[in-house]
Amino acid sequence: MNEYNEFRLTLGADDSNPGQWKVQIIKSPADFVIGKKETFKPGFTRTQLKLLRNRNGWPNLNELKQIGDTVWQTVMAGSIADAFRLSLEKSLKYDKRGMRVSLSLLSQDDEVLADDAVSISELPVEAIYENKLSFLATDIKTPFSRGLQIEPDIEPFEVSLPLRMLVVVATPKDKPEAKASEEVDAIKKALGNLIEEGGPIQLDFCVPATRRELSRRLQQASPYHILHFIGHGGFGIVENDPSEQPHICLEREDTSKSDPINSDLFLAMLLNSHVRLLVMTACSSAAPSPDKVPYDTIAFDGMAQRILGHPNGKVSAAVAMQFDLESEAAVIFTGSFYQNLLNPDKSLDEVVTQARYEISVATGLGPGHRAWITPVIYWRCKGGKVFDIKAVSKSNDEETLKKLLIWETRIEAYRVPLERSSKQMMNQPLEVRQLLANDIRYYLGKITEAQKERAKLLGETIQLWGGNVKSGQEISCPVILRLLITRPIDVVEMHVQYDPAKVSYAGYVRGRDAVGGDLIVEQKPPDMIRMFLNNPSGGQSWTPHKYELAHLKFKAAADLKPSITDLRVKSFKVSHNAAALPFAALNGVLFIEEPT
Amino acid sequence: MQSIDYTDTLWEFMLKESDSISQGEKPTFLLRPGVDESELYYGTTENHQLKAFEVELPVSESSKRSSLGLITAQQTVGRDEARDIGMKLWSSLPSDIKQSFQVSVQGATKDQAPVRLKICSALSSVTDIPWELLASETGSALSLHPNVRLVRTVPVLIPPPALTVTTPVQVLLLVTNPKDARLLQPYKEIMAIRGGLNFPDYKLRILDVPTLEALQLELNNNPPHIIHYIGRSAVSKGEGNIILHDNQDRTFWLCGSDLARILPPSVRLICLSACYTAENYRAMGLSRIAHSSASFQLPTMIANQYPLGEPSIVAFWNAFYPSLIEHQGNVNEAFHEAQLAACKGGPPDSADWASFVLILRDRTGKALRIVKEETVNDVARLAAELSAQVATDLANILAEQIRALGDNVSSEVRKLYESESDRARWLVNKATNIERD
């Protein structure tokens, strides 16, 4: 876990000097710099902003550095720069900690801008560059983030996995053409194994992307924790309000054309929901909208600010894109973002910084690509944590125990017909056996389904997989560790009991994911195997995924009739820093078929 | 021979819920009359609306604890005693029920729609009662009435389809004689039941060394349709046990649940015969096994409920097996005819004939469909019958769980039950249609 000091600044317009901004240090590890402030005329220009927004060739590395340096001159104006350097030096050298930089934006964006000037929220803080320190926002030691309050004020939301995520892909007919299915595929690809059955994220799509359906979904009994909007933003007149305002475009039920939802309506929808994290990205499959001012994606930024700024709002973090994000970068960002979001040891600014870093080092994006600057995060959650994630369901609560019992009962119930079907196959003609094989598949399928449901309730598990093996032949049974949150694993130890009348132990091989440490598998006659794996994650944190630790091989006895047999995990330990982690174990089931 | 349908009447006996019994007190029972087993299950009918009558059954005062029932298992029963018991039982029943039953019997005509009276209870104090002796005011036993088939039933929700068997029917005979008990005379025991098992209708195998392992091996290698056990029985913790041999030829007890675990699905009838050449431990154990919980997949059984002599045994089994072939596997009819034969062929002063109890565990008593010639659909039909049997087993287990849990059952279990019972019915229907083809 990275530990951080905090360097917090407020940045706002200087009301007494139009066109000037003021910056003040309100928190620093170096106490004596707190309170320092500067008033200045911002040097960052709209021309530079246009260069960043340019879709027909983004700035090269030197241009990016120049832009970043201007941001530095703006945010770290005058004496603030030295205060920052001192604070950083203290953090890194003496406190041995990182230093998060939090920027509270206090301005209202209704200021009248001079030619070539930008508003405070338009300042691409994330591009900040200093000659010696390089780009700060991709460095995990100095994560950058934005806020709208002087101090974070919302406690992390306690939630048991899975996180429930609703994705709205809105592709109105009157907007640049976008393919909803490609958007859906992109987000599924980005989320990868996180959304597989029993995974840490439950993904739903809001179809159709209309205001009625979105409203219904946000108020349904099973609450959503994350809302990810993919679509078009805009500025314009919405309903009866004559002033132009930022909005997102849903689809009308009747015509499938744009149905603009302004920030107030969107806020009202969210206030009546359990959504705590809002993510807004433009359609990656859409043709770019005309290069105009105001730029469409700014609408997302405006929406995010409105929603995060509400005094009684529940949404404690919003991620919006300040420029178009190409689809390849969007996939990298989304995958990294959600995977690290599940790490209970990581704060939100670390999560975003990690995602920026991954975009910046990804191949194929080209030198000087500014994609990593694009994501903007606003947050007001204490400790930088939107969620207080419980990896394991509350297995002690009555409801979960009841559900577990239901699935266990179901497994036991289906074992009976499975065993009877396999008995029935004995001594029957081949044609009958072939027909009865369908029954075996049916009952095995039901057992597998129930095991999956049980695994979901159990949370993080160590599982020994079974399968079909012919009498007299060998089967390799993978030992799988299923992680729902990111963490290092120091030790895995398990004892497996088998029926020596039906199978014998036949050796082991190391699993593809067990990169570090020693693997010892020893037989404990007459019917037990002990597996010990030291430091399987090689000292690194493992992200939520299924990890193959080893394969245990068993040989089915010769001339066995069709039957099933259990590989029972009798005891096990999964630990980190010598502390046992709250894992559950799942047994394997072998179906022994007759020899061909 | 034409298939026989029955007019079913089911008497379910329960303990009165509010009845707390202290030592020495007699329990109060409730008798709930119904039509058939389906009324006992969730979703099949409004069984709770059926009227229940309080009855005072002539069980022994210690029945709550020992569940021994009306008569001790060590004694044979004389004919006069039997008549008294039967009439006493009859007089304990509510007059509404008796009247209704008598009307049904009078309405029935022999061989067309006999009345099948099914006695049903989860209480061993009820199932230990020799209901077969039930006699009307005149003293005539109802079991022997031409229009009545008196059976017990361990209810199942969905009857499995009959297994079509082309003769010879495979019978496995077990005679157990462990050396640490008084020795039987195996040859005499075998000969007493052997007369009706004639080739080509039956093919008999005898298990020489009846250990559990040998029995399992035999059942796996040569799955029979009928198992006929001859030997002692015992009662342990209220459960019935049959006696096998251990590896040193000493006594090895096997209870109903363990027996269910080793049975292949081909076994559709188990006959549990009390030995007569040596004293039994407790003959009631045979009947207790046959009344084991419906959650164990045991087939329909015939058992002895009290000791009896050789002539009755010979008469019963000599009649039973040929009749089973004649009635194409209908155990109700074969059993009834065998009872009559035992009554006629047994000693005139005994009620040995009523020692035989038929316990339906498939609802119909027609779990075998015996044919003499193969048909073209044999493979498809056999697969369909076997498949449906396993599916009905599963549905019946789930139905039993729901019955046990009552209102506490979760909607998920109900959903599972509903989907699996639908599937079972569909498979039964499919198997039955193939039979008809």
Side-chain angles (χ1 to χ4, degrees), chain B residues 74-311:
Chain B
Q74 275 77 15
Q75 297 167 346
T76 55
V77 179
R79 194 154 282 193
D80 292 344
E81 186 191 359
R83 191 174 51 246
D84 289 348
I85 293 168
M87 290 169 70
K88 202 173 167 189
L89 268 175
W90 182 257
S91 67
S92 69
L93 298 174
S95 53
D96 284 3
I97 290 187
K98 288 191 282 197
Q99 200 177 349
S100 161
F101 179 73
Q102 280 175 323
V103 168
S104 301
V105 174
Q106 282 156 12
T109 52
K110 187 175 178 295
D111 290 344
Q112 285 186 7
V115 174
R116 181 165 55 182
L117 174 59
K118 292 177 166 180
I119 306 288
C120 171
S121 182
L123 305 167
S124 51
S125 51
V126 173
T127 57
D128 284 352
I129 292 173
W131 290 100
E132 289 65 23
L133 296 174
L134 189 66
S136 61
E137 292 90 344
T138 59
S140 55
L142 295 174
S143 295
L144 303 176
H145 192 287
N147 291 356
V148 177
R149 308 288 178 265
L150 196 152
V151 301
R152 320 289 187 94
T153 185
V154 175
V156 292
L157 171 70
I158 304 171
L163 179 69
T164 305
V165 176
T166 308
T167 53
V169 177
Q170 312 285 329
V171 180
L172 175 66
L173 183 60
L174 289 174
V175 186
T176 65
N177 201 15
K179 66 183 181 188
D180 56 344
R182 287 177 193 163
L183 294 178
L184 314 176
Q185 298 175 45
Y187 178 74
K188 284 185 77 175
E189 296 280 359
I190 291 171
M191 291 314 292
I193 67 115
R194 172 90 182 71
L197 287 165
N198 292 321
F199 194 80
D201 292 334
Y202 291 99
K203 187 175 177 191
L204 182 65
R205 289 178 67 89
I206 299 176
L207 188 63
D208 296 330
V209 188
T211 62
L212 181 63
E213 293 73 25
L215 176 59
Q216 271 183 294
L217 197 64
E218 175 66 22
L219 291 174
N220 286 343
N221 291 338
N222 302 292
H225 305 116
I226 299 173
I227 294 177
H228 196 124
Y229 168 87
I230 302 173
R232 295 181 175 80
S233 62
V235 176
S236 169
K237 295 175 186 168
E239 274 192 88
N241 286 259
I242 55 170
I243 312 296
L244 299 183
H245 292 206
D246 70 7
N247 290 332
Q248 279 83 44
D249 266 348
R250 288 185 300 236
T251 304
F252 178 89
W253 292 21
L254 188 74
C255 65
S257 56
D258 289 339
L259 177 61
R261 253 191 288 280
I262 62 170
L263 286 182
S266 62
V267 177
R268 298 302 172 108
L269 177 66
I270 295 181
C271 303
L272 301 175
S273 283
C275 55
Y276 72 93
T277 58
E279 192 181 332
N280 215 316
Y281 304 133
R282 192 173 281 174
M284 190 62 74
L286 298 176
S287 163
R288 287 273 181 95
I289 281 200
H291 281 98
S292 297
S293 160
S295 51
F296 309 145
Q297 280 80 56
L298 290 166
T300 284
M301 298 201 200
I302 294 170
N304 286 123
Q305 58 183 335
Y306 53 78
L308 70 170
E310 183 185 10

Side-chain angles (χ1 to χ4, degrees), chain A residues 414 420 423-424 427 439 442, chain B residues 220 261 386-387 393 420:
Chain A
Y414 278 112
R420 284 181 74 78
K423 267 187 188 174
Q424 277 182 331
N427 307 299
D439 287 3
Y442 174 80
Chain B
N220 286 343
R261 253 191 288 280
L386 294 175
S387 185
D393 281 348
E420 288 303 330

